[in-house]
Amino acid sequence: MEKMEIDDIADDGTYNLLNQGNIHGRKWRHRYVSICLGLLCIVLLAGNIGQLVYSYQAKQDNITCPASTDAPQAAYNALTQNQNDILAAENRRLCSERDALSAEKQQFNAMLRNLTEHNEQLHQICTSLRIERDKLGFSINNVTNKINLLQANYSGLKTACGHIKTSYNELQQTFKDLQSDHNNLTADVSLLNTKYKNLQTEKEELQTRFSLEVKRVQSERNCSFLRKEKDQLQESLQMLNRSNIEIQTNYSLLWKNKELLTTKYAELTKEKEDLQMRCQNLINSTDILKTKDKIGEIPSELLCPTHWRYFKTKCYFVSTVKKNWTESRRACISEGADLVIINNHEEQSFVHGMLHKDQNAWIGLTDSLTEGVWMWVDKTPVTKSYWLPGQPNNYRGQDCGEMVQTDSGGKWNDDGCFSQQLWICEK
Ligand SMILES: [Ca+2]
Ligand SMILES: [Ca+2]
Ligand SMILES: [Ca+2]
């Protein structure tokens, strides 16, 4: 469209210029032809006038010639007069026509001068127009070059426009693809959100399961620990059973020895009584009392080992380290003693008094052989007990006795045999 418009403008401009030149040329040609025709008419008219003038002079010459007779002469004269009148009239008419033609000639001459001047002006105008035409031709060339350049630019722009249209179509296609991708992605996002929520729910369920699993593992660990403790207890039980068998064997032997000794003791007692009876008569009762007083003054350090305390013919020891009941008893046996056996209230008070505040200690008391049947380590049953209220309760299988400090004095409690405690030996 732009090219067409430019072409139209260029063509119109050129066309107008050419048309204007043609119009001016035609007008000038018409004028030249009119002028020539006017001049030709003037020349013809001048010729006619000259002929008429010549004819008139010839007639004048003929009129002046003398006549020989009167009638014809009169008729001739009349006719001549008539003709002279006609000629005079004609002469006047021709003179007037001549004057008119002269005036017209002058007018034509004036017009010719004017036309000449106008012609010169027109020449000048034509020259200036030629110059302008050349300028316009140069301008037209420039414009043509510009038009060509613009056409080239237009072609380039058209090509670029085509590329842009192609790119636009491609971009539109890309946009459609992107829109489609966007829709797909939106659908994917919705799907992922749903999956995320499902995963959150699964995560919470797994966390719950994990907590339960952790608790289960902890329980298994506790069970494992308890199994180990149970195994240790079983081993200890087996060891105790073996010890029990050995002790029972020893007990049987000792029982036999005891019976023998009891028999011997009875015999010796009888001998002693006899001897006492004999001595009673022989020894002064005062000397006997003095001897007894001296024995009572003997310090306990001389009667018992170091760190042991003497009480009513027995030595007692409180450990400074802690062991379980079996190892505590083994330590006592290694010292030629055993865990303390409390035979009466005085001994209970004494043993309790050996402990400091907040101290507990193993004593020779157990129901490991028969649950609920408490016996001393020498297999003798418990006749007088000092249990805490509510004890023994066999909590988690407690089978070993301990001395416990309370505000109301020493009391007994059953505890787990593998607890680490101080211990009290007696020998
Ligand atoms: Ca005792
Ligand atoms: Ca028990
Ligand atoms: Ca208890």
Side-chain angles (χ1 to χ4, degrees), residues 314 316 340-343 347 426:
K314 293 293 183 69
Y316 298 87
V340 62
I341 297 171
I342 296 171
N343 303 101
E347 193 173 18
E426 176 187 0

PDB file of all heavy atoms in Angstrom, residues 314 316 340-343 347 426, ligand 1:
ATOM      1  N   LYS A 314      30.712 -62.970 121.052  1.00  0.00           N
ATOM      2  CA  LYS A 314      30.765 -63.038 119.581  1.00  0.00           C
ATOM      3  C   LYS A 314      31.451 -61.782 119.017  1.00  0.00           C
ATOM      4  O   LYS A 314      31.458 -60.723 119.668  1.00  0.00           O
ATOM      5  CB  LYS A 314      29.356 -63.142 118.993  1.00  0.00           C
ATOM      6  CG  LYS A 314      28.659 -64.455 119.319  1.00  0.00           C
ATOM      7  CD  LYS A 314      29.354 -65.635 118.619  1.00  0.00           C
ATOM      8  CE  LYS A 314      28.660 -66.951 118.854  1.00  0.00           C
ATOM      9  NZ  LYS A 314      27.373 -67.049 118.198  1.00  0.00           N
ATOM     10  N   TYR A 316      31.652 -59.142 115.656  1.00  0.00           N
ATOM     11  CA  TYR A 316      30.802 -58.647 114.560  1.00  0.00           C
ATOM     12  C   TYR A 316      31.626 -57.672 113.711  1.00  0.00           C
ATOM     13  O   TYR A 316      32.465 -56.920 114.212  1.00  0.00           O
ATOM     14  CB  TYR A 316      29.565 -57.926 115.128  1.00  0.00           C
ATOM     15  CG  TYR A 316      28.677 -58.855 115.950  1.00  0.00           C
ATOM     16  CD1 TYR A 316      28.905 -59.058 117.315  1.00  0.00           C
ATOM     17  CD2 TYR A 316      27.605 -59.520 115.356  1.00  0.00           C
ATOM     18  CE1 TYR A 316      28.109 -59.889 118.042  1.00  0.00           C
ATOM     19  CE2 TYR A 316      26.802 -60.353 116.096  1.00  0.00           C
ATOM     20  CZ  TYR A 316      27.042 -60.548 117.437  1.00  0.00           C
ATOM     21  OH  TYR A 316      26.277 -61.388 118.172  1.00  0.00           O
ATOM     22  N   VAL A 340      25.425 -62.415 109.868  1.00  0.00           N
ATOM     23  CA  VAL A 340      24.968 -62.412 111.259  1.00  0.00           C
ATOM     24  C   VAL A 340      23.611 -63.110 111.392  1.00  0.00           C
ATOM     25  O   VAL A 340      22.722 -62.987 110.533  1.00  0.00           O
ATOM     26  CB  VAL A 340      24.892 -60.953 111.777  1.00  0.00           C
ATOM     27  CG1 VAL A 340      23.875 -60.126 110.990  1.00  0.00           C
ATOM     28  CG2 VAL A 340      24.562 -60.911 113.274  1.00  0.00           C
ATOM     29  N   ILE A 341      23.475 -63.845 112.473  1.00  0.00           N
ATOM     30  CA  ILE A 341      22.198 -64.467 112.846  1.00  0.00           C
ATOM     31  C   ILE A 341      21.742 -63.790 114.131  1.00  0.00           C
ATOM     32  O   ILE A 341      22.470 -63.781 115.128  1.00  0.00           O
ATOM     33  CB  ILE A 341      22.360 -65.978 113.068  1.00  0.00           C
ATOM     34  CG1 ILE A 341      22.794 -66.637 111.740  1.00  0.00           C
ATOM     35  CG2 ILE A 341      21.080 -66.582 113.600  1.00  0.00           C
ATOM     36  CD1 ILE A 341      23.199 -68.093 111.916  1.00  0.00           C
ATOM     37  N   ILE A 342      20.563 -63.177 114.046  1.00  0.00           N
ATOM     38  CA  ILE A 342      20.075 -62.426 115.201  1.00  0.00           C
ATOM     39  C   ILE A 342      19.214 -63.363 116.051  1.00  0.00           C
ATOM     40  O   ILE A 342      18.130 -63.776 115.632  1.00  0.00           O
ATOM     41  CB  ILE A 342      19.290 -61.193 114.732  1.00  0.00           C
ATOM     42  CG1 ILE A 342      20.263 -60.252 113.963  1.00  0.00           C
ATOM     43  CG2 ILE A 342      18.641 -60.474 115.888  1.00  0.00           C
ATOM     44  CD1 ILE A 342      19.586 -59.121 113.266  1.00  0.00           C
ATOM     45  N   ASN A 343      19.724 -63.661 117.228  1.00  0.00           N
ATOM     46  CA  ASN A 343      19.079 -64.658 118.075  1.00  0.00           C
ATOM     47  C   ASN A 343      18.153 -64.042 119.112  1.00  0.00           C
ATOM     48  O   ASN A 343      17.266 -64.738 119.624  1.00  0.00           O
ATOM     49  CB  ASN A 343      20.142 -65.500 118.809  1.00  0.00           C
ATOM     50  CG  ASN A 343      21.094 -66.178 117.837  1.00  0.00           C
ATOM     51  OD1 ASN A 343      22.229 -65.717 117.616  1.00  0.00           O
ATOM     52  ND2 ASN A 343      20.636 -67.268 117.224  1.00  0.00           N
ATOM     53  N   GLU A 347      20.886 -58.748 120.718  1.00  0.00           N
ATOM     54  CA  GLU A 347      21.747 -58.824 119.529  1.00  0.00           C
ATOM     55  C   GLU A 347      21.191 -57.937 118.395  1.00  0.00           C
ATOM     56  O   GLU A 347      21.928 -57.278 117.676  1.00  0.00           O
ATOM     57  CB  GLU A 347      21.828 -60.273 119.044  1.00  0.00           C
ATOM     58  CG  GLU A 347      22.935 -60.475 118.025  1.00  0.00           C
ATOM     59  CD  GLU A 347      23.128 -61.942 117.678  1.00  0.00           C
ATOM     60  OE1 GLU A 347      22.211 -62.747 117.955  1.00  0.00           O
ATOM     61  OE2 GLU A 347      24.189 -62.263 117.092  1.00  0.00           O
ATOM     62  N   GLU A 426      29.291 -62.317 111.522  1.00  0.00           N
ATOM     63  CA  GLU A 426      29.301 -62.717 112.948  1.00  0.00           C
ATOM     64  C   GLU A 426      30.103 -64.006 113.058  1.00  0.00           C
ATOM     65  O   GLU A 426      29.988 -64.914 112.250  1.00  0.00           O
ATOM     66  CB  GLU A 426      27.862 -62.989 113.431  1.00  0.00           C
ATOM     67  CG  GLU A 426      27.798 -63.498 114.886  1.00  0.00           C
ATOM     68  CD  GLU A 426      26.381 -63.910 115.265  1.00  0.00           C
ATOM     69  OE1 GLU A 426      25.472 -63.799 114.414  1.00  0.00           O
ATOM     70  OE2 GLU A 426      26.199 -64.365 116.408  1.00  0.00           O
TER      71      GLU A 426
HETATM   72 CA    CA B   1      23.653 -64.419 116.445  1.00  0.00          CA
END
